[in-house]
């Protein structure tokens, strides 16, 4: 750290150029050229509005099977597309099936609220006390 009385050192142009070259080398190392392009399934196929009175525009075109397959594949859930999670975020909840089947009658794992005479009395007591304090 510089002392309070000292001025900043002047910028060394050679050092700045070396830093910039290192940054560019690191960026080029991580970049990947993407050459495989495909149709965006979320965008409509036609971007230009058709003429309303043109007879050749009103003829129905056959459905493109490849495009429909892309659309249907994109609409599927991740568990149907992939056999295992693709990201760490997908790992949470990927296996959402319960480990033990839920059985409502099993008292070992289901603890329902039981009202005995004393609990009914105290519930009514606190209800009346809350009414008195609000009046």
């Amino acid at each position: 750290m510089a002392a309070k009385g000292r001025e900043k050192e002047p910028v060394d142009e050679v050092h700045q150029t070396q830093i910039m070259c290192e940054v560019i080398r690191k960026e080029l190392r991580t970049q990947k050229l993407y050459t495989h392009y495909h149709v965006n399934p979320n965008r409509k196929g036609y971007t230009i509005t058709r003429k309303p009175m043109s007879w050749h525009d009103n003829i129905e075109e056959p459905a493109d099977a490849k495009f429909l397959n892309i659309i249907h594949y994109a609409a599927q859930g991740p568990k149907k597309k992939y056999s295992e999670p693709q990201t760490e975020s997908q790992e949470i909840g990927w296996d959402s099936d319960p480990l033990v089947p839920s059985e409502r009658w099993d008292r070992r794992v289901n603890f329902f609220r039981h009202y005995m005479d004393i609990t009914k009395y105290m519930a009514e007591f606190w209800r009346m006390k809350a009414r008195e304090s609000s009046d």
Side-chain angles (χ1 to χ4, degrees), residues 12-108:
D12 183 12
E13 296 295 327
V14 174
H15 185 64
Q16 293 294 327
T17 307
Q18 287 176 344
I19 291 174
M20 180 60 84
C21 290
E22 183 179 349
V23 168
I24 291 172
R25 262 195 314 273
K26 286 182 180 179
E27 286 178 358
L28 290 175
R29 203 173 16 189
T30 58
Q31 286 181 349
K32 182 175 117 181
L33 183 62
Y34 187 73
T35 58
H36 177 70
Y37 299 101
H38 55 83
V39 177
N40 183 357
N42 298 324
R43 178 174 260 185
K44 292 183 180 179
Y46 299 104
T47 56
I48 301 173
T49 308
R50 296 181 175 192
K51 297 178 182 177
M53 299 302 289
S54 174
W55 64 271
H56 54 79
D57 283 343
N58 292 331
I59 299 173
E60 286 196 29
E61 298 175 4
D64 185 10
K66 184 178 178 184
F67 182 73
L68 288 177
N69 287 339
I70 292 172
I71 295 286
H72 292 305
Y73 181 76
Q76 289 179 347
K79 286 188 85 171
K80 292 183 181 177
K81 286 186 202 177
Y82 313 110
S83 61
E84 58 185 27
Q86 300 296 303
T87 63
E88 288 187 21
S89 295
Q90 285 181 343
E91 288 178 8
I92 300 171
W94 188 264
D95 296 320
S96 59
D97 298 331
L99 298 176
V100 178
S102 174
E103 297 170 347
R104 304 281 296 164
W105 56 269
D106 191 1
R107 297 181 72 103
R108 295 175 297 170

